[in-house]
Amino acid sequence: MKYLYYTLAIIILSLFSKPAFTQTGIDKPVYRIDTYRDTTFLGSFHIELFPLIAPLHVSNFDSLAGVNFFDSTAFHRVVPGFVIQGGDPNSISGPISTWGQGQPWQPTVPAEFNAVRHLRGILGAARDTDPNSATSQFYICVASSTFLDGNYTVYGKVTNGMSVVDTIVLSPKDVNDVPLQKISMFITSTGVNDTIPDPVNLTAPADNSVNISNTQSFSWTTVADAVLYTAEFATDSLFTNIVLSRTSGTNSSTASALPGSSTYYWRVKSNNGGHESVYSPYWKFTTVAGAATLTSPPDSSVNVFINPVFEWQAVPGADNYQLQVATASTFILPSLVYNQSGLTNTSQQIPALNANTRYYWRVRSYTGSIAGYYSTKFTFLTGASTGIQHFELSDMITAIYPNPATDFVYADVKPSVREDFQIAIRDINGKVVYTENKSWSAVIRIAIDVSDFQKGFYVLELKNGNKISAAKFVVE
């Protein structure tokens, strides 16, 4: 669908040029649409467009209306409870069977999807399956059609005369929703709307609220002519560090992306399609306890003891934790093998798991009984048996001595894949008691001070890429 030859250059120039901004926004073009059923005048209704929200579509409509492109086109589709649609040049004098198909010489307008809700009176761009295929055709909602939200470009609304739109949508029609008598339109510019919307007042959560979760709804008062609202969240009251900005077509929004254990400031401004209000005064809140950082067993570990010790870092503001271990990454109830809340430490050993089995684990922070965020999930694969008996010398660890050790334990290592290794020592319960990173280029001897270790059995582990080698030793 593309435009008439004598308007083509004007339209393309206007379509991709920048609109003239005023200090507080862009004045909204206002039009009167006169309608006729055959030669009988039906009535007029007025629309205003949203250049601050969909500037390309508004420029396109302005250009077409400026050369009388829409005059004598029809409202060729009427669907009670949904929309009326028109603006196809085929409907001026072409066969009815072509109405709504448009013309291949019409330039298209890139999609400008936005958060404006498809409520009664909203005007949007008709298109085919290609999101960027909008041309001259537009629709007007006669009822709430919010299932269209985010999939079609809204760029205006009816400001008065909806009774005329209702008359059009109730016209007798054929099986293809085409009115039996042609309903023509004639569009005339009547000026601009330069009003600035009122500011909003914040309503919830209350100022200085604490323990705000990532499911919290932030709300504010509605503004009569506003179609969009922008909520900003920052770590400082001057909003120099804005961490989240949300645009909403209603007077509420969520802020699920905010980390926990932190203080934030928030404010909102309204948008009427052409101008924005000033921001509201800010309010402050503190989020619930943040997500724990998991440490052991590391993510994607293999040969993990079947009675491992799980460890994570303490979370500011949290005083207890919930540990979940499951055989499925979804942690649905049938897959949960361990689900313990009220843990006051940041480590927990659990009963024996199955050997040679993949598990997933995560931790949730709590402040008292108030739930914080879940950590990311880690996965690991258990080894063949419990504890230290599974491990013997390998091709990377060629010797470990003295064994038993008292002050130092030495291990001769022969790297076989690459030079960078991670060293860990675990006690008999699987808890990591020593870690170190090393590099070498030939056979090397590792010396580790174990003089402060408790007496008992230990495992020295070397991780080289995806390969883990281990050897057991005793401290006396």
Side-chain angles (χ1 to χ4, degrees), residues 329 375 393:
S329 60
S375 68
L393 294 182

Side-chain angles (χ1 to χ4, degrees), residues 287-323:
T287 51
V288 294
T293 299
L294 308 184
T295 56
S296 184
D299 193 22
S300 301
S301 297
V302 296
N303 289 324
V304 173
F305 297 148
I306 65 173
N307 55 342
V309 175
F310 294 87
E311 297 178 308
W312 56 93
Q313 295 179 7
V315 175
D319 54 26
N320 68 100
Y321 304 90
Q322 177 187 18
L323 170 63

Side-chain angles (χ1 to χ4, degrees), residues 7-8 29 32 55 74 93 113 120 177 245 280 292 345 405 427:
T7 66
L8 187 58
R32 184 184 73 245
S93 59
F113 297 158
R120 175 173 161 82
D177 297 323
S245 180
S280 65
N345 295 320
D427 63 18

Side-chain angles (χ1 to χ4, degrees), residues 16-279:
F16 295 101
S17 62
K18 292 184 178 180
F21 282 78
T22 65
Q23 183 177 1
T24 56
I26 316 171
D27 293 344
K28 294 180 286 185
V30 178
Y31 290 92
R32 184 184 73 245
I33 301 181
D34 300 320
T35 63
Y36 293 81
R37 179 177 287 128
D38 284 343
T39 59
T40 302
F41 180 64
L42 280 182
S44 302
F45 61 92
H46 291 78
I47 63 171
E48 65 179 20
L49 306 184
F50 301 154
L52 193 61
I53 295 172
L56 296 181
H57 283 75
V58 172
S59 292
N60 180 47
F61 190 99
D62 284 344
S63 299
L64 296 174
V67 293
N68 302 317
F69 176 92
F70 292 108
D71 291 355
S72 296
T73 62
F75 284 106
H76 64 268
R77 184 185 180 206
V78 292
V79 185
F82 185 32
V83 297
I84 64 172
Q85 181 176 326
D88 181 3
N90 293 343
S91 64
I92 295 177
S93 59
I96 292 177
S97 61
T98 66
W99 294 7
Q101 296 180 10
Q103 286 290 331
W105 42 258
Q106 291 184 267
T108 56
V109 187
E112 295 176 292
F113 297 158
N114 51 70
V116 178
R117 307 302 307 277
H118 278 80
L119 304 177
R120 175 173 161 82
I122 282 295
L123 182 151
R127 61 171 178 83
D128 59 29
T129 54
D130 180 358
N132 300 311
S133 62
T135 57
S136 60
Q137 295 185 50
F138 61 92
Y139 60 85
I140 296 172
C141 295
V142 298
S144 178
S145 303
T146 53
F147 60 90
L148 299 176
D149 290 354
N151 294 305
Y152 289 82
T153 299
V154 171
Y155 66 97
K157 69 177 181 179
V158 176
T159 55
N160 62 60
M162 274 300 293
S163 61
V164 177
V165 178
D166 292 334
T167 298
I168 295 171
V169 81
L170 295 176
S171 299
K173 60 179 182 172
D174 65 17
V175 295
N176 295 315
D177 297 323
V178 179
L180 297 180
Q181 293 179 288
K182 181 179 177 180
I183 300 175
S184 302
M185 72 178 80
F186 294 83
I187 298 182
T188 304
S189 172
T190 60
V192 296
N193 181 350
D194 62 357
T195 58
I196 298 174
D198 292 333
V200 309
N201 293 314
L202 307 184
T203 57
D207 193 19
N208 294 309
S209 292
V210 297
N211 293 321
I212 299 301
S213 73
N214 58 358
T215 60
Q216 173 70 45
S217 176
F218 293 81
S219 61
W220 50 88
T221 56
T222 58
V223 174
D225 60 338
V227 293
L228 279 183
Y229 302 91
T230 300
E232 287 186 343
F233 299 83
T235 57
D236 64 291
S237 61
L238 297 178
F239 288 80
T240 57
N241 183 31
I242 298 172
V243 294
L244 184 65
S245 180
R246 287 286 173 86
T247 301
S248 173
T250 64
N251 64 322
S252 66
S253 184
T254 58
S256 57
L258 296 178
S261 303
S262 302
T263 297
Y264 296 96
Y265 300 80
W266 69 292
R267 62 184 184 179
V268 178
K269 63 181 176 181
S270 61
N271 180 335
N272 66 8
H275 295 266
E276 294 180 315
S277 72
V278 297
Y279 273 105

